Amino acid sequence: MDEHAYCWANRLAGNAMDAPVVEISIGQACFEAQTDQLVALAGADLDARIDDQPCQPWQSYRLRAGQRLRLQRPLNGLRAYLAVAGGFAAPRAFDSVACVPRDRLGGIDGGPLKAGDLLPSPGCPSSPPGRRTPPRFIPDYRTPLRLRIIPGYQFAEFGEAARRALLESEYRITHKSDRMGCRLQGTPLPCTLPGVISEGIALGAIQIPPDGQPIILLRDRQTLGGYPKLGCVCRRDLSALAQRPPGTPLRFELIELGQASQEWLALERFFRE
Amino acid sequence: MRLLIEPVSETTLMIYLGERIDPGLASAIGELSGRLRQQLGRRLLEVVPSYTSILVEYDPLRCDVERLRAQISALAEQIDANIPQQPGRLIELPVYYHPEVAPDLEPLAGRLGISIDNLIARHSDPEYRVFAIGFAPGFAFLGEVDEQIAYPRHATPRARVMAGSVGIADRQTGVYPADLPGGWQIIGNSPFPLYRPGHSPATPFSVGDRVRFRPIDRERYRRAGGRPWHG
């Protein structure tokens, strides 16, 4: 969900950008090293500890066999990413280890991790512990959220009033949000079209159902959909969105495709080259 | 074919090929999707065809939008120039049409004012096209259903529709690949496996393929692993 933190966790652990990591939401998770490990944490500060020692995210650590990494509760942000040197080994479905509970795919057995699960990894540290993300790259997830939208899809079918409401009013993340979509509440956005012929949904697409309340479609979204869409939240901002809890207010602004593409390309180059 | 290619995000563009659902268009979409995957390989991350469009997600480090547009147009032109003789593969699905596996078969026939045999014949006679694959892995939206037997979905979907259930919703028909919630009118059951996650391909359908339903009897249905309805 937070691609930026995911990439950093892997980088700190000396891994390729797309190595399997564990995503921990909110906290209440405890991991025990079975052998010596190099691990890295990035994303939310979930008040982590190694045995009794507090540890900050955006760093890599050595975990000796028997030591426990505990993530407790959210202090800043919502989702933390735990990477291990070499990446976690897990069976692949459709070339991915990602867990989709709805389809019972991925993960250890098609569901979220549970107590007792064993997470193997090559365990060969390829970078020293104590690597840190430079502070200028570490986001503060408590700052006001502005989401930049690349206009597209049926943007032209939303009239002047809808566009003004979109850019001038405040929306709030509701509790009905999950990995499939972030449901917002605020000024309804009327579209001149009732729907469209079902079409592919890009990551971050903002869908407007008949009630006019925007839904930002995320990682576990359906592949096709027939509600009008007014464009996509730019990819970098999806990471910021993933770290905000329900109740968080946000505002939208427009961004030009060219500029958004440049920013995204820069991030890809940073982590992949 | 006339293409409208529109970027929608930093890494995704939409190809629109038409404005109306049409079997010929489904064929062209299937063909173009297949060639995109074949020719562009690892430069593409996703190709999601649908009734009138194809979503393409690409790797921005391996290709740029302008070249991609040009390649898509060139592939489309190639397809136009060599209209294939065989418009898509034909997939035959055996179907057991009987109230013991299909709770809507009798009621639907009654509401339409036709006999069950007539309903079965009108459903199994035509050749259908795969217009889109979505909703669940292995679920193919097939069209178009004979107007005489077209019927809307249930107002309240069933919490569980048995895997293999063959349904009708307006002018579309389809088969549920697994036990899933669903609102379609269930008129039969196909024991043919439609979604096998470990398998390659995981599902037999591609957009543009042709599909026929072949009525089978209870014995064949049971021998193929079919079971009575459970909701």
Side-chain angles (χ1 to χ4, degrees), chain A residues 156-198:
Chain A
E157 314 300 330
F158 288 85
E160 199 40 55
R163 296 184 200 190
R164 235 199 331 273
L166 176 71
L167 300 175
E168 292 174 12
S169 49
E170 188 180 81
Y171 288 86
R172 214 162 268 274
I173 299 174
T174 71
H175 284 271
K176 287 187 276 171
S177 300
D178 57 18
R179 301 182 93 259
M180 190 164 159
C182 181
R183 290 172 184 259
L184 304 179
Q185 190 227 2
T187 311
L189 299 170
C191 184
T192 58
L193 295 173
V196 294
I197 295 173
S198 263

Side-chain angles (χ1 to χ4, degrees), chain B residues 63-123:
Chain B
C63 63
D64 72 79
V65 160
E66 290 320 310
R67 271 204 68 213
L68 185 55
R69 273 180 191 266
Q71 283 169 314
I72 292 169
S73 300
L75 282 172
E77 271 170 41
Q78 268 177 36
I79 292 170
D80 282 339
N82 304 296
I83 299 182
Q85 294 283 55
Q86 277 286 70
R89 289 174 311 171
L90 175 66
I91 296 161
E92 279 213 341
L93 298 178
V95 178
Y96 178 44
Y97 293 95
H98 195 278
E100 73 163 325
V101 299
D104 297 317
L105 183 63
E106 271 176 331
L108 183 58
R111 268 179 259 128
L112 294 169
I114 60 176
S115 69
I116 290 179
D117 282 347
N118 197 336
L119 174 50
I120 294 170
R122 285 182 184 277
H123 185 260

Side-chain angles (χ1 to χ4, degrees), chain A residues 198-200 222 232 234-235 272, chain B residues 8 10-11 16 50 59 135:
Chain A
S198 263
E199 58 186 1
Q222 297 279 23
C232 293
C234 77
R235 197 118 165 215
R272 285 169 65 184
Chain B
V8 292
E10 305 93 327
T11 55
Y16 292 100
S50 191
D59 182 343
F135 162 65

Side-chain angles (χ1 to χ4, degrees), chain A residues 94 103 105 150 153-154 197-202 222-224 232 234-236 257 260-261 264-265 268-269 272-273, chain B residues 7-12 14 16 19 48-53 55 57 59-61 132-135 137 195 202:
Chain A
F94 300 105
D103 294 327
L105 282 177
I150 300 164
Y153 281 113
Q154 292 83 41
I197 295 173
S198 263
E199 58 186 1
I201 305 177
Q222 297 279 23
T223 52
L224 306 178
C232 293
C234 77
R235 197 118 165 215
R236 290 219 61 156
L257 176 62
S261 298
W264 184 251
L265 204 55
E268 290 248 17
R269 288 204 168 107
R272 285 169 65 184
E273 290 173 355
Chain B
V8 292
S9 84
E10 305 93 327
T11 55
T12 308
M14 294 295 296
Y16 292 100
E19 294 181 357
V48 184
S50 191
Y51 298 87
T52 56
S53 64
L55 174 150
E57 188 185 350
D59 182 343
L61 286 190
I133 296 168
F135 162 65
Y195 174 52

